[in-house]
Amino acid sequence: MNAAKAPEDLHKLFAQALNSGDLDALVALYAFDAFLMTRSGPARGIMAIGRALAEYVAMKPTIQLTTRKVVQVEDTALLVADWRFHGTAADGRDVSTSGTSIEVARRQSDGSWRYLIDLPYGLG
């Protein structure tokens, strides 16, 4: 798994991992104590985030992510991205959605960056 060397690398690595169905690579982009807001509610901690992301990977999706903004202050960064998601639900129906995400990333002790807070639907 490639590590994010800069905050903006997280978006590229997230898209690569989700588009290839690599759940382990997706989960590795999150800090152990991270928070992810899903449509079904909050996921706190790496185990809950892994379960939440598995639901998305099961949809065999494609995602396009476009970084709009990165603001970095020392070991913390705020990221904003536009995204488009297309996949197939368990019942076979087509799922297409889009939005603007807001994330907070933190530099790890090894110098890599991981998501600390992930709000895929922004403030909505």
Side-chain angles (χ1 to χ4, degrees):
M1 155 64 218
N2 293 327
K5 293 177 174 52
E8 55 272 18
D9 292 344
L10 287 166
H11 289 154
K12 177 183 71 167
L13 294 171
F14 187 95
Q16 286 174 354
L18 188 59
N19 289 337
S20 66
D22 190 340
L23 180 59
D24 291 337
L26 272 176
V27 173
L29 297 175
Y30 289 82
F32 188 76
D33 56 345
F35 173 91
L36 168 64
M37 179 56 78
T38 69
R39 281 287 189 200
S40 58
R44 290 185 171 94
I46 202 72
M47 298 300 284
I49 289 171
R51 288 190 296 273
L53 291 173
E55 294 178 22
Y56 292 103
V57 169
M59 299 172 98
K60 307 239 185 278
T62 56
I63 192 168
Q64 295 173 324
L65 270 165
T66 304
T67 302
R68 285 181 48 190
K69 187 97 170 154
V70 178
V71 180
Q72 180 182 339
V73 177
E74 297 180 7
D75 293 338
T76 305
L78 176 71
L79 299 99
V80 178
D82 293 325
W83 56 267
R84 292 187 168 282
F85 176 98
H86 181 264
T88 305
D91 63 6
R93 70 182 163 79
D94 220 25
V95 176
S96 290
T97 188
S98 62
T100 300
S101 64
I102 300 171
E103 301 100 10
V104 176
R106 178 173 61 195
R107 189 186 336 249
Q108 306 299 296
S109 59
D110 66 359
S112 68
W113 288 84
R114 292 189 181 185
Y115 291 119
L116 179 62
I117 300 170
D118 186 354
L119 305 174
Y121 300 95
L123 299 177

